[in-house]
């Protein structure tokens, strides 16, 4: 599983190299779109596992564990990038959020929204969505624009104890509903990239649920030659191929 995560992380890095490849070398760029969704599948898989093996009767302990796992790393990353951007501004070469503040006009409510999202990571997916749908350039107010995926993850964590402990039938029905919503949005946009299928939590929910179902299936049977991680790997592969075509 560590290798899969490494490859997905490399795919995201390469995509942010704007198709130029990693360190100037050609690589399998253009795959970050699917890589992010694969991370969501992995998250759904492991949340189903820990909820059913460790936190089945203690949702508060589950929430506490998620906070302690996510936010120290986020705080460190935020502090590092904010420090670098602030140092560049002091040096007379504003970049990132400082460049946006000095060159783009924002409303007071925009700053409040951005400050809240920067400090907590929450709401950054909505901010990115609104930025993509309008000309307000709100995304430039985020110290770490990629934090939108953290916001989507947290939304799922909040719902996880109320969803993943239900029956497989319930999870499958919810998955089909989210999957149908995603297909509808894709169809309305002629199966081209669109912000609703990227930054909108309800259309991303199907990925988390797919991972959870992979865990439920693998844990329900005695697969001596096919451990749980094998089922997760196949789920990731299937979704990568399907959404590489449909999204």
């Amino acid at each position: 599983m560590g290798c899969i995560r490494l490859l997905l992380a490399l795919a995201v890095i390469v995509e942010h190299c704007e198709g130029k490849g990693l360190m100037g070398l050609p690589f399998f760029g253009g795959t970050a779109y699917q890589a992010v969704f694969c991370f969501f599948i992995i998250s759904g898989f492991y949340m189903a596992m820990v909820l059913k093996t460790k936190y089945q009767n203690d949702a508060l302990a589950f929430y506490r564990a998620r906070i302690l796992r996510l936010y120290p790393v986020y705080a460190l990353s935020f502090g590092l990038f904010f420090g670098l951007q602030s140092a560049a501004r002091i040096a007379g070469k504003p970049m990132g959020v400082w460049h946006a503040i000095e060159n783009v006009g924002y409303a007071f409510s925009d700053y409040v929204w951005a400050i809240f999202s920067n400090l907590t990571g929450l709401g950054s997916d909505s901010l990115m969505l609104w930025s993509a749908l309008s000309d307000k350039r709100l995304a430039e107010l985020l110290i770490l624009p990629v934090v939108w995926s953290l916001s989507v993850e947290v939304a799922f964590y909040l719902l996880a104890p109320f969803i993943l402990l239900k029956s497989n039938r319930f999870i499958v029905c919810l998955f089909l509903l989210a999957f149908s919503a995603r297909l509808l949005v894709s169809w309305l946009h002629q199966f081209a990239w669109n912000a609703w299928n990227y930054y909108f939590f309800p259309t991303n929910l199907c990925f988390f649920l797919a991972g959870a179902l992979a865990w439920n299936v693998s844990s329900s049977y005695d697969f001596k030659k096919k451990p749980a991680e094998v089922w997760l790997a196949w789920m990731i592969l299937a979704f990568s191929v399907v959404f590489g075509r449909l999204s």
Side-chain angles (χ1 to χ4, degrees):
M1 193 52 58
C3 291
I4 293 178
R5 287 179 170 178
L6 176 61
L7 287 174
L8 293 174
L10 286 174
V12 174
I13 292 172
V14 171
E15 176 73 4
H16 289 136
C17 291
E18 300 179 354
K20 298 177 181 178
L22 186 61
M23 299 176 66
L25 299 175
F27 198 59
F28 44 92
T31 57
Y33 189 51
Q34 292 92 340
V36 171
F37 300 144
C38 290
F39 275 120
F40 290 162
I41 294 174
I42 293 173
S43 179
F45 179 90
Y46 281 112
M47 292 311 100
M49 180 176 68
V50 299
L51 275 171
K52 292 193 172 185
T53 60
K54 189 175 182 180
Y55 302 110
Q56 190 170 11
N57 299 311
D58 197 346
L60 290 179
F62 169 77
Y63 291 140
R64 184 166 55 250
R66 294 308 98 206
I67 292 173
L68 293 176
R69 185 174 183 85
L70 289 177
Y71 280 98
V73 176
Y74 174 68
L76 179 62
S77 301
F78 175 86
L80 175 62
F81 278 83
F82 182 71
L84 290 173
Q85 292 183 18
S86 297
R89 181 174 184 268
I90 294 173
K93 297 180 180 179
M95 59 182 292
V97 67
W98 295 113
H99 182 270
I101 291 173
E102 295 180 7
N103 293 277
V104 182
Y106 294 105
F108 177 74
S109 58
D110 296 334
Y111 287 115
V112 173
W113 189 359
I115 291 172
F116 175 78
S117 294
N118 275 313
L119 293 179
T120 66
L122 303 178
S124 52
D125 54 338
S126 300
L127 188 148
M128 293 289 288
L129 176 62
W130 183 241
S131 181
L133 297 176
S134 67
D135 58 354
K136 301 193 69 172
R137 297 170 60 180
L138 294 177
E140 296 179 31
L141 287 176
L142 291 175
I143 301 295
L144 292 169
V146 294
V147 76
W148 72 267
S149 60
L150 172 64
S151 184
V152 172
E153 289 263 3
V154 171
F156 172 68
Y157 294 159
L158 291 173
L159 295 175
F162 305 100
I163 296 176
L164 302 187
L165 295 177
K166 300 287 187 179
S167 66
N168 280 342
R169 180 177 298 180
F170 175 86
I171 297 175
V172 168
C173 289
L174 190 58
F175 165 81
L176 292 175
L177 183 62
F179 183 75
S180 298
R182 186 175 188 87
L183 285 181
L184 176 61
V185 172
S186 294
W187 177 74
L188 291 174
H189 290 83
Q190 299 181 337
F191 296 99
W193 185 95
N194 66 87
W196 289 102
N197 266 359
Y198 202 51
Y199 303 120
F200 193 48
F201 171 70
T203 56
N204 285 317
L205 180 59
C206 59
F207 297 109
F208 294 102
L209 296 179
L213 287 170
W215 161 257
N216 289 350
V217 171
S218 66
S219 62
S220 298
Y221 302 94
D222 183 17
F223 294 111
K224 295 182 179 179
K225 296 183 179 180
K226 290 187 177 181
E229 287 78 4
V230 173
W231 287 90
L232 176 60
W234 278 111
M235 185 70 74
I236 289 173
L237 177 61
F239 265 70
S240 296
V241 172
V242 171
F243 283 97
R245 300 290 184 183
L246 298 181
S247 299

